[in-house]
Amino acid sequence: MADKYISKVATWKKDIVSTLSNELSSSKTIAVLNMEDLPSRELQKIRENISDQVTLRMTRKTLLKLALAKTGNKNASKLIEHVEQGMPALLFSELDSFELWQLIKENMSKSPAKSGQKAPFDIIIPAGPTNFAPGPILGELGDVGIKAGINAGKIEIKQDSTVVKEGEEINEKLAAILSRLNIRPMKMGLNLIVSLEGETLFLRKTLDVNSEEF
């Protein structure tokens, strides 16, 4: 079935699919990434840091699917449903899945939260003094669930405040407050969706544990 479609596409597309198919057949670990929202400058920096250990391939979603269907790696078809998300890419490596995820994590950087993003963990604003002088920000803190008052001419957060739970959406007001408090809860880097090693699929949440415990 895949060959029928391949015959209808341009030569350059055939070359891309052929290259991907070969890499899918020969790589120990294959990962699906979602490159959406990753700035090109950040991507370039990451590529420079990890290019000796991985190969990153970005192309059209249809070509990725064709390669996954056509390759000699019979298990690669398990990844087809995962390339539907965002802006997919494939990552090839001789590292095992846990080592690959560790490499990806080491090359992530902290970034501010944006409105509409989901909290990666419970975000807790600790009690203590701030550098803010009394003013409208006192009410803005209250609007996002932060209990604050005035002490010695400065705004003080009275108690630890959980402003958003893991998985909940960060709204515009909260994103602005987190930025003013210089809290950067998000991680910017390669967004791994799933990896395939042999016959085994590893979702990101599975990889984000101690490999010895697993």
Short mmCIF file of all heavy atoms in Angstrom, two decimals, residues 2-52:
data_model
loop_
_atom_site.label_atom_id
_atom_site.label_comp_id
_atom_site.label_asym_id
_atom_site.label_seq_id
_atom_site.Cartn_x
_atom_site.Cartn_y
_atom_site.Cartn_z
N ALA A 2 1.92 1.25 0.82
CA ALA A 2 2.79 2.42 0.89
C ALA A 2 3.48 2.67 -0.44
O ALA A 2 3.62 3.82 -0.88
CB ALA A 2 3.83 2.23 1.99
N ASP A 3 3.92 1.60 -1.15
CA ASP A 3 4.60 1.75 -2.43
C ASP A 3 3.70 2.41 -3.46
O ASP A 3 4.17 3.17 -4.32
CB ASP A 3 5.06 0.39 -2.95
CG ASP A 3 6.22 -0.16 -2.13
OD1 ASP A 3 6.93 0.65 -1.52
OD2 ASP A 3 6.40 -1.39 -2.11
N LYS A 4 2.43 2.14 -3.39
CA LYS A 4 1.47 2.74 -4.33
C LYS A 4 1.48 4.26 -4.20
O LYS A 4 1.45 4.99 -5.19
CB LYS A 4 0.08 2.18 -4.06
CG LYS A 4 -1.02 2.80 -4.93
CD LYS A 4 -2.36 2.19 -4.56
CE LYS A 4 -3.47 2.85 -5.37
NZ LYS A 4 -4.81 2.30 -4.99
N TYR A 5 1.53 4.75 -2.96
CA TYR A 5 1.54 6.19 -2.73
C TYR A 5 2.90 6.80 -3.07
O TYR A 5 2.99 7.90 -3.59
CB TYR A 5 1.18 6.50 -1.27
CG TYR A 5 -0.26 6.19 -0.96
CD1 TYR A 5 -0.58 5.18 -0.06
CD2 TYR A 5 -1.29 6.91 -1.54
CE1 TYR A 5 -1.90 4.87 0.23
CE2 TYR A 5 -2.62 6.61 -1.24
CZ TYR A 5 -2.91 5.59 -0.36
OH TYR A 5 -4.22 5.30 -0.07
N ILE A 6 3.98 6.07 -2.78
CA ILE A 6 5.32 6.57 -3.03
C ILE A 6 5.50 6.89 -4.51
O ILE A 6 6.16 7.86 -4.89
CB ILE A 6 6.38 5.54 -2.58
CG1 ILE A 6 6.46 5.50 -1.06
CG2 ILE A 6 7.74 5.85 -3.16
CD1 ILE A 6 7.11 6.70 -0.44
N SER A 7 4.94 6.07 -5.38
CA SER A 7 5.13 6.25 -6.83
C SER A 7 4.52 7.55 -7.33
O SER A 7 4.86 8.00 -8.43
CB SER A 7 4.50 5.07 -7.57
OG SER A 7 3.10 5.04 -7.37
N LYS A 8 3.65 8.14 -6.55
CA LYS A 8 2.96 9.34 -7.00
C LYS A 8 3.64 10.63 -6.52
O LYS A 8 3.22 11.72 -6.88
CB LYS A 8 1.51 9.33 -6.49
CG LYS A 8 0.69 8.17 -7.05
CD LYS A 8 -0.72 8.22 -6.51
CE LYS A 8 -1.55 7.06 -7.04
NZ LYS A 8 -2.94 7.08 -6.52
N VAL A 9 4.63 10.54 -5.71
CA VAL A 9 5.24 11.74 -5.16
C VAL A 9 6.54 12.08 -5.87
O VAL A 9 7.14 11.26 -6.56
CB VAL A 9 5.51 11.58 -3.63
CG1 VAL A 9 4.22 11.37 -2.89
CG2 VAL A 9 6.46 10.44 -3.36
N ALA A 10 6.98 13.33 -5.72
CA ALA A 10 8.19 13.82 -6.39
C ALA A 10 9.43 13.08 -5.89
O ALA A 10 9.44 12.50 -4.80
CB ALA A 10 8.34 15.31 -6.15
N THR A 11 10.48 13.14 -6.70
CA THR A 11 11.72 12.43 -6.37
C THR A 11 12.29 12.85 -5.03
O THR A 11 12.74 12.01 -4.25
CB THR A 11 12.77 12.67 -7.48
OG1 THR A 11 12.25 12.20 -8.72
CG2 THR A 11 14.06 11.94 -7.16
N TRP A 12 12.26 14.16 -4.74
CA TRP A 12 12.85 14.62 -3.48
C TRP A 12 12.09 14.05 -2.29
O TRP A 12 12.67 13.76 -1.24
CB TRP A 12 12.90 16.13 -3.42
CG TRP A 12 11.57 16.84 -3.34
CD1 TRP A 12 10.81 17.29 -4.36
CD2 TRP A 12 10.86 17.19 -2.13
NE1 TRP A 12 9.66 17.89 -3.88
CE2 TRP A 12 9.67 17.85 -2.52
CE3 TRP A 12 11.12 17.01 -0.76
CZ2 TRP A 12 8.73 18.32 -1.61
CZ3 TRP A 12 10.19 17.49 0.16
CH2 TRP A 12 9.01 18.14 -0.28
N LYS A 13 10.81 13.85 -2.46
CA LYS A 13 10.02 13.26 -1.38
C LYS A 13 10.38 11.78 -1.21
O LYS A 13 10.47 11.27 -0.09
CB LYS A 13 8.53 13.41 -1.67
CG LYS A 13 8.04 14.85 -1.64
CD LYS A 13 6.55 14.92 -1.91
CE LYS A 13 6.05 16.36 -1.92
NZ LYS A 13 4.61 16.45 -2.19
N LYS A 14 10.59 11.10 -2.35
CA LYS A 14 11.01 9.70 -2.29
C LYS A 14 12.35 9.57 -1.56
O LYS A 14 12.54 8.64 -0.77
CB LYS A 14 11.14 9.13 -3.70
CG LYS A 14 9.84 8.98 -4.46
CD LYS A 14 10.11 8.39 -5.83
CE LYS A 14 8.85 8.29 -6.68
NZ LYS A 14 9.13 7.74 -8.02
N ASP A 15 13.25 10.50 -1.84
CA ASP A 15 14.58 10.46 -1.20
C ASP A 15 14.45 10.64 0.31
O ASP A 15 15.15 9.97 1.09
CB ASP A 15 15.48 11.54 -1.79
CG ASP A 15 15.87 11.26 -3.24
OD1 ASP A 15 15.74 10.10 -3.66
OD2 ASP A 15 16.28 12.22 -3.93
N ILE A 16 13.60 11.57 0.73
CA ILE A 16 13.40 11.79 2.16
C ILE A 16 12.83 10.56 2.83
O ILE A 16 13.32 10.10 3.88
CB ILE A 16 12.47 13.01 2.39
CG1 ILE A 16 13.17 14.31 2.02
CG2 ILE A 16 12.00 13.06 3.85
CD1 ILE A 16 12.28 15.53 2.08
N VAL A 17 11.81 9.98 2.22
CA VAL A 17 11.19 8.78 2.78
C VAL A 17 12.19 7.63 2.84
O VAL A 17 12.24 6.88 3.83
CB VAL A 17 9.94 8.39 1.97
CG1 VAL A 17 9.41 7.03 2.42
CG2 VAL A 17 8.85 9.45 2.12
N SER A 18 13.00 7.48 1.79
CA SER A 18 14.01 6.42 1.76
C SER A 18 15.03 6.59 2.87
O SER A 18 15.38 5.63 3.57
CB SER A 18 14.71 6.42 0.40
OG SER A 18 15.72 5.45 0.36
N THR A 19 15.51 7.84 3.06
CA THR A 19 16.48 8.12 4.13
C THR A 19 15.89 7.81 5.50
O THR A 19 16.52 7.15 6.34
CB THR A 19 16.93 9.58 4.07
OG1 THR A 19 17.58 9.83 2.84
CG2 THR A 19 17.87 9.91 5.22
N LEU A 20 14.67 8.27 5.71
CA LEU A 20 14.01 8.03 6.99
C LEU A 20 13.79 6.53 7.22
O LEU A 20 14.00 6.04 8.33
CB LEU A 20 12.66 8.76 7.03
CG LEU A 20 12.70 10.28 7.14
CD1 LEU A 20 11.30 10.86 6.99
CD2 LEU A 20 13.29 10.71 8.48
N SER A 21 13.38 5.84 6.18
CA SER A 21 13.13 4.40 6.30
C SER A 21 14.38 3.65 6.72
O SER A 21 14.34 2.75 7.57
CB SER A 21 12.61 3.84 4.98
OG SER A 21 11.35 4.41 4.66
N ASN A 22 15.52 4.04 6.13
CA ASN A 22 16.79 3.40 6.49
C ASN A 22 17.17 3.69 7.93
O ASN A 22 17.65 2.81 8.66
CB ASN A 22 17.89 3.89 5.55
CG ASN A 22 17.72 3.36 4.14
OD1 ASN A 22 17.12 2.30 3.93
ND2 ASN A 22 18.25 4.09 3.16
N GLU A 23 16.97 4.94 8.36
CA GLU A 23 17.31 5.31 9.73
C GLU A 23 16.38 4.62 10.72
O GLU A 23 16.79 4.22 11.81
CB GLU A 23 17.26 6.82 9.89
CG GLU A 23 18.40 7.52 9.16
CD GLU A 23 18.28 9.04 9.16
OE1 GLU A 23 17.14 9.55 9.07
OE2 GLU A 23 19.32 9.71 9.24
N LEU A 24 15.12 4.46 10.35
CA LEU A 24 14.17 3.76 11.20
C LEU A 24 14.56 2.29 11.38
O LEU A 24 14.35 1.70 12.44
CB LEU A 24 12.76 3.85 10.60
CG LEU A 24 12.06 5.21 10.73
CD1 LEU A 24 10.89 5.31 9.76
CD2 LEU A 24 11.57 5.42 12.16
N SER A 25 15.15 1.72 10.35
CA SER A 25 15.54 0.31 10.39
C SER A 25 16.82 0.08 11.17
O SER A 25 17.02 -1.00 11.74
CB SER A 25 15.71 -0.23 8.96
OG SER A 25 14.49 -0.19 8.26
N SER A 26 17.70 1.08 11.19
CA SER A 26 19.04 0.88 11.75
C SER A 26 19.25 1.48 13.14
O SER A 26 20.28 1.21 13.76
CB SER A 26 20.09 1.46 10.79
OG SER A 26 19.89 2.86 10.63
N SER A 27 18.33 2.27 13.63
CA SER A 27 18.53 2.96 14.91
C SER A 27 18.04 2.14 16.10
O SER A 27 17.01 1.48 16.02
CB SER A 27 17.82 4.32 14.90
OG SER A 27 18.33 5.15 13.89
N LYS A 28 18.78 2.22 17.18
CA LYS A 28 18.38 1.51 18.41
C LYS A 28 17.11 2.11 18.99
O LYS A 28 16.19 1.39 19.39
CB LYS A 28 19.52 1.59 19.44
CG LYS A 28 19.16 0.95 20.78
CD LYS A 28 20.33 1.03 21.76
CE LYS A 28 19.96 0.42 23.09
NZ LYS A 28 21.11 0.44 24.05
N THR A 29 17.07 3.45 19.05
CA THR A 29 15.93 4.14 19.65
C THR A 29 15.39 5.19 18.69
O THR A 29 16.14 5.93 18.07
CB THR A 29 16.34 4.83 20.97
OG1 THR A 29 16.84 3.84 21.88
CG2 THR A 29 15.15 5.53 21.62
N ILE A 30 14.08 5.23 18.57
CA ILE A 30 13.39 6.20 17.72
C ILE A 30 12.42 6.97 18.60
O ILE A 30 11.64 6.36 19.35
CB ILE A 30 12.61 5.51 16.59
CG1 ILE A 30 13.50 4.55 15.80
CG2 ILE A 30 11.97 6.54 15.67
CD1 ILE A 30 12.73 3.45 15.11
N ALA A 31 12.45 8.28 18.54
CA ALA A 31 11.53 9.09 19.33
C ALA A 31 10.72 10.01 18.43
O ALA A 31 11.22 10.49 17.41
CB ALA A 31 12.30 9.91 20.37
N VAL A 32 9.48 10.25 18.83
CA VAL A 32 8.64 11.24 18.16
C VAL A 32 8.63 12.49 19.02
O VAL A 32 8.40 12.44 20.23
CB VAL A 32 7.20 10.72 17.98
CG1 VAL A 32 6.32 11.81 17.37
CG2 VAL A 32 7.18 9.48 17.10
N LEU A 33 8.91 13.62 18.39
CA LEU A 33 8.92 14.91 19.07
C LEU A 33 7.80 15.79 18.55
O LEU A 33 7.33 15.62 17.42
CB LEU A 33 10.25 15.64 18.85
CG LEU A 33 11.55 14.88 19.10
CD1 LEU A 33 12.73 15.76 18.71
CD2 LEU A 33 11.65 14.44 20.55
N ASN A 34 7.39 16.76 19.34
CA ASN A 34 6.50 17.82 18.88
C ASN A 34 7.29 19.13 18.96
O ASN A 34 7.61 19.61 20.05
CB ASN A 34 5.25 17.91 19.75
CG ASN A 34 4.28 18.98 19.28
OD1 ASN A 34 4.54 19.68 18.29
ND2 ASN A 34 3.16 19.11 19.95
N MET A 35 7.62 19.70 17.79
CA MET A 35 8.48 20.87 17.73
C MET A 35 7.71 22.19 17.82
O MET A 35 8.30 23.26 17.73
CB MET A 35 9.29 20.84 16.42
CG MET A 35 10.03 19.54 16.17
SD MET A 35 11.23 19.17 17.46
CE MET A 35 12.48 20.40 17.08
N GLU A 36 6.42 22.10 18.00
CA GLU A 36 5.58 23.30 18.07
C GLU A 36 6.02 24.19 19.23
O GLU A 36 6.33 23.72 20.32
CB GLU A 36 4.12 22.89 18.27
CG GLU A 36 3.11 23.93 17.88
CD GLU A 36 1.70 23.35 17.86
OE1 GLU A 36 1.41 22.47 18.69
OE2 GLU A 36 0.91 23.78 17.01
N ASP A 37 6.07 25.49 18.98
CA ASP A 37 6.38 26.50 20.00
C ASP A 37 7.85 26.53 20.43
O ASP A 37 8.21 27.26 21.37
CB ASP A 37 5.51 26.34 21.26
CG ASP A 37 4.03 26.51 20.96
OD1 ASP A 37 3.70 27.31 20.07
OD2 ASP A 37 3.22 25.83 21.61
N LEU A 38 8.72 25.76 19.78
CA LEU A 38 10.15 25.82 20.11
C LEU A 38 10.83 26.83 19.18
O LEU A 38 10.89 26.63 17.97
CB LEU A 38 10.80 24.45 19.95
CG LEU A 38 12.30 24.38 20.29
CD1 LEU A 38 12.53 24.73 21.76
CD2 LEU A 38 12.86 23.00 19.98
N PRO A 39 11.33 27.95 19.73
CA PRO A 39 11.98 28.97 18.88
C PRO A 39 13.17 28.40 18.13
O PRO A 39 13.89 27.53 18.64
CB PRO A 39 12.42 30.03 19.90
CG PRO A 39 11.56 29.81 21.10
CD PRO A 39 11.31 28.34 21.15
N SER A 40 13.39 28.90 16.92
CA SER A 40 14.47 28.38 16.08
C SER A 40 15.84 28.58 16.73
O SER A 40 16.73 27.73 16.60
CB SER A 40 14.44 29.05 14.70
OG SER A 40 14.53 30.45 14.82
N ARG A 41 16.03 29.68 17.45
CA ARG A 41 17.32 29.92 18.10
C ARG A 41 17.58 28.89 19.19
O ARG A 41 18.70 28.40 19.34
CB ARG A 41 17.36 31.33 18.68
CG ARG A 41 18.71 31.70 19.30
CD ARG A 41 18.85 33.17 19.55
NE ARG A 41 17.86 33.69 20.48
CZ ARG A 41 17.80 34.94 20.88
NH1 ARG A 41 18.65 35.84 20.42
NH2 ARG A 41 16.87 35.34 21.74
N GLU A 42 16.54 28.54 19.92
CA GLU A 42 16.68 27.53 20.96
C GLU A 42 16.96 26.16 20.34
O GLU A 42 17.78 25.39 20.84
CB GLU A 42 15.40 27.47 21.80
CG GLU A 42 15.48 26.58 23.02
CD GLU A 42 16.36 27.14 24.13
OE1 GLU A 42 16.64 28.35 24.12
OE2 GLU A 42 16.77 26.35 25.00
N LEU A 43 16.28 25.86 19.23
CA LEU A 43 16.50 24.60 18.54
C LEU A 43 17.94 24.48 18.04
O LEU A 43 18.57 23.43 18.17
CB LEU A 43 15.52 24.47 17.37
CG LEU A 43 15.73 23.26 16.45
CD1 LEU A 43 15.66 21.95 17.22
CD2 LEU A 43 14.71 23.28 15.31
N GLN A 44 18.44 25.56 17.48
CA GLN A 44 19.81 25.55 16.97
C GLN A 44 20.81 25.28 18.10
O GLN A 44 21.77 24.51 17.93
CB GLN A 44 20.12 26.90 16.30
CG GLN A 44 21.52 27.00 15.70
CD GLN A 44 21.77 25.98 14.60
OE1 GLN A 44 20.85 25.61 13.88
NE2 GLN A 44 23.00 25.51 14.48
N LYS A 45 20.58 25.90 19.23
CA LYS A 45 21.46 25.70 20.39
C LYS A 45 21.44 24.25 20.85
O LYS A 45 22.49 23.66 21.13
CB LYS A 45 21.01 26.63 21.52
CG LYS A 45 21.83 26.51 22.79
CD LYS A 45 21.28 27.45 23.86
CE LYS A 45 22.02 27.28 25.18
NZ LYS A 45 21.46 28.15 26.24
N ILE A 46 20.25 23.66 20.90
CA ILE A 46 20.12 22.27 21.34
C ILE A 46 20.80 21.34 20.34
O ILE A 46 21.52 20.41 20.72
CB ILE A 46 18.63 21.89 21.49
CG1 ILE A 46 18.00 22.68 22.65
CG2 ILE A 46 18.46 20.39 21.73
CD1 ILE A 46 16.50 22.55 22.74
N ARG A 47 20.59 21.61 19.07
CA ARG A 47 21.21 20.78 18.03
C ARG A 47 22.73 20.77 18.16
O ARG A 47 23.38 19.73 18.00
CB ARG A 47 20.80 21.29 16.65
CG ARG A 47 19.53 20.65 16.11
CD ARG A 47 19.23 21.12 14.72
NE ARG A 47 18.51 20.12 13.96
CZ ARG A 47 17.79 20.38 12.89
NH1 ARG A 47 17.69 21.62 12.44
NH2 ARG A 47 17.17 19.41 12.23
N GLU A 48 23.30 21.93 18.42
CA GLU A 48 24.76 22.01 18.57
C GLU A 48 25.25 21.18 19.75
O GLU A 48 26.33 20.60 19.70
CB GLU A 48 25.17 23.48 18.76
CG GLU A 48 24.99 24.33 17.50
CD GLU A 48 25.24 25.80 17.77
OE1 GLU A 48 25.50 26.17 18.95
OE2 GLU A 48 25.16 26.60 16.82
N ASN A 49 24.43 21.10 20.79
CA ASN A 49 24.84 20.39 22.00
C ASN A 49 24.70 18.88 21.91
O ASN A 49 25.43 18.15 22.58
CB ASN A 49 24.03 20.90 23.20
CG ASN A 49 24.40 22.32 23.59
OD1 ASN A 49 25.47 22.81 23.24
ND2 ASN A 49 23.51 22.98 24.31
N ILE A 50 23.75 18.40 21.11
CA ILE A 50 23.45 16.96 21.15
C ILE A 50 23.64 16.26 19.80
O ILE A 50 23.37 15.05 19.70
CB ILE A 50 22.01 16.71 21.65
CG1 ILE A 50 20.98 17.20 20.63
CG2 ILE A 50 21.79 17.37 23.00
CD1 ILE A 50 19.54 16.86 21.00
N SER A 51 24.11 16.98 18.79
CA SER A 51 24.19 16.41 17.44
C SER A 51 25.12 15.20 17.34
O SER A 51 24.99 14.38 16.44
CB SER A 51 24.63 17.48 16.44
OG SER A 51 25.91 17.99 16.77
N ASP A 52 26.06 15.07 18.29
CA ASP A 52 26.97 13.92 18.23
C ASP A 52 26.33 12.66 18.80
O ASP A 52 26.90 11.56 18.68
CB ASP A 52 28.27 14.24 18.99
CG ASP A 52 28.03 14.56 20.46
OD1 ASP A 52 26.93 15.06 20.79
OD2 ASP A 52 28.93 14.32 21.27
#
